[in-house]
Amino acid sequence: MPRRPRALTSVAPNTYRVLSPQAQGTMVTRLLLLLRTWPRGTAVDPGASRRPFSAGSGPGQYLQRSIVPTMHYQDSLPRLPVPKLEDTIRRYLSAQKPLLDDEQFRKTEKFCKSFENGIGKELHRQLVAQDKQNKHTSYISGPWFDMYLTARDSVVLNFNPFMAFKPDPKSEYNDQLTRATNMTVSAVRFLKTLQAGLLEPEVFHLNPAKSDTDTFKRLIRFVPSSLSWYGAYLVNAYPLDMSQYFRLFNSTRLPRPRRDELFTDEKARHLLVLRKGHFYVFDVLDQDGNIVSASEIQAHLKYILSDNSPAPEFPLACLTSENRDVWAEIRQKLVSGGNEETLRKVDSAVFCLCLDDFPIKDLHQLSHSMLHGDGTNRWFDKSFNLIIAKDGTAAVHFEHSWGDGVAVLRFFNEVFKDSTQTPAITPQSQPANTDSSVVVQKLNFKLNDALKTGISAAKEKFDATMKTLTIDFIQFHRGGKEFLKKQKLSPDSVAQLAFQMAFLRQYGQTVATYESCSTAAFKHGRTETIRPASIFTKRCSEAFVREPSKHSAGELQQMMAECSKYHGQLTREAAMGQGFDRHLFALRYLAAAKGIALPELFLDPAYGQINHNILSTSTLSSSAVNIGGFAPVVPNGFGIAYSVHDDWIGCNVSSYPSRNAREFLQCVEKSLEDMFDAMEGKSIKT
């Protein structure tokens, strides 16, 4: 069973292919008729009813005022297709080919044939029938939530990733209090803009000159929501699913026995602040829904930063790093011990702001601090923690069950842009003259001996686990996206090929590899897996690593081109919901739900092996991101966060003691050097 998928990738698909030609034609005709007959001079905006302005619609309350309502496209998004069973089996066998010897492959092929012609056919029929009855969602949404929420491992390392912001370009704005105030105000502006329906819909523009224009937006807002997606499609724009966005704020994953619960309270107006393991709350929205003045927020944060209380002996936040069943049991004791109302304040807070008391020295410390810290100053169950270190270094650490990287990255980009381009305060701004000791409430928890023991055990376990994690990074400056595109190679395929070559060089084998791909182009889409290890990457890696002298630069270039072409195909298929992983996962989930004995295909050791992802990889592209990272998804794996920039390639890798991250990165660097040599027609240095 796959663990902790990575969802920081967003790939642009040609989504319309999921419609039959007849359906496409009908929809387009209806839409053109509608656009021709719609009264041009209408003064009423059909989106207006969807976005009530609060009294606080003055300056500084919103990030933007989109003329197209935020959720305008949601109703007409295409549905995630259930792939054909024969396609899934074919793709699955192609992905198994480089991982198995001939005998193992024949066995797996036999299991697949009998599955496809037997129980698999029946399960697939039931899945399709079930999907037809649930047109409001996708076939993967329910099982995927279940997969996350029933997992009993700690969310720390096993699930939650981080993304660190670049510093504010104006260095004096990186003061901790200034940046914390500005980012908090920008985050609350994002919340207000989202809730008012004024946030620009998330759209992938293949031809921005045509679709990302005021003219198009003024036109499309009059197209009913049930048809609006097709209007965007006509100008080569692809709206993305935004159903996860409401969980960004006021949300927490609550530990429950056997299956956790996602909790959201949209009425709550307070911010949760953690500092030195202490909890503070104060309102960031007033009773009318207006953002509290920036100078007041600044005053309250200054008051919290000046609290000299020693760190608590029993830091409650460590409990959120526990095994979920253990934490569920302890939480029940907390509730029955008179802490229910206090916990409610933590759970319902708009978000959690973590103020750290130390500066960040380097990227190693940055990754460790933002991925896990010391466990005392994060509420790991919160939908996200906004972390700001003593020197203003900032990051978002997020819980993964509620949503994927697409929603978080949009929030991240908007907060960076707003807080740096239109900051609420300057370094010279004076805090409001207000009595923060009255407004800021410090939360106190009643702890009996059993709870204290539970906290100490959680902290001990946390410390022991974190000691086993290594994180290291490289920056390869010989070239990036621009150079690779000139070579007619997919930049992503080159990065993935480097990982395959590196692992082969270090450990002498090709192993299960996972690359996350967003399926947000579909209603309630989550992710699909790209399987970068292929017969092409295996052949190419072996040529580079084992026998470079036997191949000319031209032959090596040819092999790289084949890898790039095949990787491009896999990426397009995954983005179109045409991978095999989610389909097989849903069939397996359905068999378990119906009480059917697990089919042989899922008991095959090869199935277990391909889902034991030794190389777990994820990429994201954003000018606001400094670095991101996550832990390996299996004890003997690597967690590989990477980004191909215009003229360099960055890679941040984590591992546990059974693997050597530093050495792996040296092998990645060697692989990139070799590929760049081959591209430049040079011979490979052995």
Side-chain angles (χ1 to χ4, degrees), residues 487-512:
Q487 304 294 315
K488 296 190 169 53
L489 293 173
S490 141
D492 191 58
S493 77
V494 171
Q496 288 290 345
L497 183 53
F499 306 146
Q500 293 301 314
M501 281 185 201
F503 198 87
L504 184 71
R505 186 179 296 279
Q506 191 181 9
Y507 296 106
Q509 59 184 142
T510 296
V511 291

Side-chain angles (χ1 to χ4, degrees), residues 131-185:
D131 184 55
K132 278 184 180 152
Q133 286 170 350
N134 291 281
K135 291 190 173 167
H136 63 287
T137 187
S138 70
Y139 78 91
I140 198 62
S141 185
W144 213 237
F145 274 120
D146 252 13
M147 181 268 297
Y148 272 122
L149 296 172
T150 56
R152 300 292 81 193
D153 292 329
S154 164
V155 294
V156 190
L157 301 192
N158 296 303
F159 295 93
N160 298 11
F162 82 90
M163 293 188 273
F165 291 94
K166 283 185 176 164
D168 192 303
K170 302 181 293 295
S171 59
E172 67 276 19
Y173 278 77
N174 290 307
D175 163 75
Q176 186 179 26
L177 177 59
T178 305
R179 200 166 200 203
T181 305
N182 283 329
M183 285 194 146
T184 297
V185 172

Side-chain angles (χ1 to χ4, degrees), residues 26-224:
T26 308
M27 280 300 175
V28 171
T29 308
R30 280 178 66 195
L31 193 65
L32 288 171
L33 280 169
L34 185 83
L35 292 177
R36 283 190 198 120
T37 56
W38 199 273
R40 288 291 187 270
T42 312
V44 180
D45 179 352
S49 62
R50 292 187 161 222
R51 40 177 179 163
F53 285 90
S54 72
S57 56
Q61 293 288 316
Y62 300 103
L63 287 179
Q64 51 201 216
R65 292 168 180 273
S66 173
I67 57 174
V68 182
T70 307
M71 294 297 175
H72 188 53
Y73 299 107
Q74 194 64 30
D75 289 348
S76 57
L77 283 174
R79 301 197 58 233
L80 182 69
V82 179
K84 290 178 180 167
L85 185 59
E86 58 269 32
D87 289 346
T88 287
I89 295 298
R90 174 177 51 77
R91 290 173 180 135
Y92 173 65
L93 285 170
S94 295
Q96 286 285 17
K97 192 89 178 152
L99 307 179
L100 304 174
D101 64 29
D102 290 348
E103 192 187 340
Q104 289 170 322
F105 186 76
R106 275 195 299 275
K107 277 184 190 164
T108 295
E109 218 170 12
K110 199 162 95 328
F111 290 137
C112 285
K113 284 272 187 303
S114 94
F115 181 76
E116 190 182 345
N117 299 320
I119 185 65
K121 191 183 276 188
E122 176 53 25
L123 285 170
H124 177 76
R125 190 193 61 74
Q126 288 182 29
L127 182 67
V128 170
Q130 202 177 69
D131 184 55
K132 278 184 180 152
Q133 286 170 350
N134 291 281
K135 291 190 173 167
H136 63 287
T137 187
S138 70
Y139 78 91
I140 198 62
S141 185
W144 213 237
F145 274 120
D146 252 13
M147 181 268 297
Y148 272 122
L149 296 172
T150 56
R152 300 292 81 193
D153 292 329
S154 164
V155 294
V156 190
L157 301 192
N158 296 303
F159 295 93
N160 298 11
F162 82 90
M163 293 188 273
F165 291 94
K166 283 185 176 164
D168 192 303
K170 302 181 293 295
S171 59
E172 67 276 19
Y173 278 77
N174 290 307
D175 163 75
Q176 186 179 26
L177 177 59
T178 305
R179 200 166 200 203
T181 305
N182 283 329
M183 285 194 146
T184 297
V185 172
S186 294
V188 182
R189 280 179 187 159
F190 184 100
L191 161 69
K192 281 207 67 179
T193 312
L194 174 67
Q195 288 185 342
L198 293 169
L199 189 71
E200 291 273 355
E202 187 73 16
V203 178
F204 187 88
H205 299 276
L206 277 178
N207 185 358
K210 219 171 174 184
S211 58
D212 201 6
T213 64
D214 283 347
T215 307
F216 173 72
K217 288 171 187 174
R218 278 197 292 271
L219 190 59
I220 198 70
R221 67 178 174 165
F222 291 115
V223 176

Side-chain angles (χ1 to χ4, degrees), residues 8-9 163-164 166 409 473-477 479-482 484 490-496 498-499 515 617-630 639-653 665 668 672 676:
L8 299 178
T9 304
M163 293 188 273
K166 283 185 176 164
L409 190 59
F473 68 93
I474 55 161
Q475 293 174 343
F476 178 82
H477 285 283
K481 227 178 269 182
E482 287 172 3
L484 294 170
S490 141
D492 191 58
S493 77
V494 171
Q496 288 290 345
F499 306 146
E515 180 183 356
T617 75
S618 189
T619 187
L620 51 80
S621 181
S622 162
S623 56
V625 175
N626 181 11
I627 196 168
F630 51 89
I640 305 170
Y642 66 101
S643 190
V644 184
H645 303 268
D646 286 343
D647 54 1
W648 64 284
I649 298 168
C651 194
N652 199 24
V653 172
L665 281 167
V668 169
L672 289 169
F676 273 67

Side-chain angles (χ1 to χ4, degrees), residues 523-676:
K523 186 178 287 186
H524 294 190
R526 293 291 307 239
T527 58
E528 183 52 272
T529 309
I530 300 167
R531 291 290 182 173
S534 66
I535 54 170
F536 301 103
T537 61
K538 190 174 187 177
R539 189 188 308 143
C540 186
S541 298
E542 284 174 350
F544 270 89
V545 173
R546 293 191 171 145
E547 42 189 27
S549 57
K550 286 188 186 170
H551 302 276
S552 67
E555 286 169 343
L556 294 173
Q557 287 169 7
Q558 181 59 41
M559 283 188 234
M560 287 163 66
E562 282 174 357
C563 291
S564 176
K565 187 182 171 191
Y566 188 64
H567 188 77
Q569 180 193 323
L570 292 179
T571 302
R572 283 189 299 277
E573 287 175 352
M576 292 300 303
Q578 294 292 333
F580 66 83
D581 280 84
R582 299 299 172 270
H583 187 196
L584 287 181
F585 178 84
L587 294 173
R588 179 184 167 149
Y589 179 90
L590 185 63
K594 302 267 182 190
I596 297 166
L598 211 52
E600 275 183 320
L601 183 148
F602 300 117
L603 298 169
D604 178 11
Y607 180 81
Q609 181 183 279
I610 203 169
N611 285 302
H612 183 88
N613 291 300
I614 288 172
L615 297 179
S616 178
T617 75
S618 189
T619 187
L620 51 80
S621 181
S622 162
S623 56
V625 175
N626 181 11
I627 196 168
F630 51 89
V633 297
V634 292
N636 63 336
F638 288 115
I640 305 170
Y642 66 101
S643 190
V644 184
H645 303 268
D646 286 343
D647 54 1
W648 64 284
I649 298 168
C651 194
N652 199 24
V653 172
S654 61
S655 68
Y656 294 116
S658 67
R659 298 284 182 200
N660 186 328
R662 175 78 269 176
E663 192 180 273
F664 177 74
L665 281 167
Q666 287 164 354
C667 294
V668 169
E669 200 154 16
K670 165 75 174 141
S671 303
L672 289 169
E673 291 285 0
D674 287 354
M675 283 192 277
F676 273 67

